[in-house]
Amino acid sequence: MNCKSDFLTKYLSKVLTDLPSCPCSYPLEAVYSAVNLRDDQQGKSFRWRDASGPKERLDIYKPTARFCLRSMLSLDSTTLAAQHCCYDEHTRLITRGKGAGVPNLISTEFSPELHYKVDMLPWILCKGDWSRYHAVRPPNNGRQCADNPAEEEYLSQLQEAKEY
């Protein structure tokens, strides 16, 4: 996360501009199968898959999240990245705090092992301080969804992360 690589900086910039924006609410049909969702800013549809299963360990990596989605790679993908979006029990996008999803630099579709090394290990090295991780990989709120959680809860989570 402290690596000052020009390649990494350019790649992250491309990831942040090329990935679809998170939908403001979790599409419940995604529980059963992949869904196509239009991203008006990019002018095209993207395929998404549920990312809430037991292997995702939301209880550890995205506490407070009840559902998560991950964008799928397509033939015209310009990176190996995937957008990761997480939602509360009311299916509202978590835009900040410990339950928010962040862009994955390597999609689990491409390589679960590389995803673990590039996306999960930095989080682990931050000892669960999601605020440090989010400073480098900010949660997506490209559709300007309402802030979630509320300010008081967010500040409480931030204080907890700093004191851990």
Side-chain angles (χ1 to χ4, degrees), residues 10-163:
K10 287 177 184 165
Y11 183 75
L12 186 57
S13 175
K14 186 145 191 65
V15 164
L16 294 177
T17 57
D18 288 359
L19 287 177
S21 293
C22 292
C24 290
S25 60
Y26 178 84
L28 291 174
E29 62 273 19
V31 170
Y32 306 106
S33 64
V35 295
N36 282 320
L37 299 173
R38 182 157 177 81
D39 185 316
D40 289 333
Q41 290 173 324
Q42 300 230 14
K44 61 183 178 177
S45 292
F46 291 85
R47 290 184 53 75
W48 296 81
R49 173 176 285 148
D50 178 76
S52 310
K55 287 194 292 187
E56 297 285 344
R57 294 307 312 259
L58 297 185
D59 57 327
I60 293 173
Y61 299 111
K62 304 294 176 200
T64 73
R66 173 66 181 85
F67 305 98
C68 290
L69 278 179
R70 186 173 284 117
S71 64
M72 298 173 68
L73 295 174
S74 67
L75 293 175
D76 62 348
S77 293
T78 58
T79 68
L80 297 173
Q83 187 66 269
H84 190 232
C85 313
C86 292
Y87 300 82
D88 66 15
E89 68 278 2
H90 302 293
T91 70
R92 293 178 308 205
L93 179 67
I94 299 172
T95 59
R96 58 191 182 170
K98 62 186 179 181
V102 295
N104 296 158
L105 297 184
I106 301 294
S107 171
T108 56
E109 282 181 278
F110 178 73
S111 169
E113 296 82 13
L114 197 53
H115 165 72
Y116 180 81
K117 289 178 182 173
V118 173
D119 295 308
M120 306 306 288
L121 275 181
W123 186 93
I124 292 167
L125 293 171
C126 287
K127 297 178 176 49
D129 181 354
W130 53 266
S131 65
R132 289 178 60 204
Y133 193 78
H134 288 186
V136 178
R137 298 189 199 179
N140 174 273
N141 190 9
R143 296 185 190 204
Q144 306 299 308
C145 309
D147 287 342
N148 184 20
E151 187 72 11
E152 187 175 320
E153 173 60 22
Y154 173 69
L155 293 175
S156 173
Q157 289 179 15
L158 193 55
Q159 187 67 31
E160 178 187 310
K162 298 289 184 198
E163 291 176 354

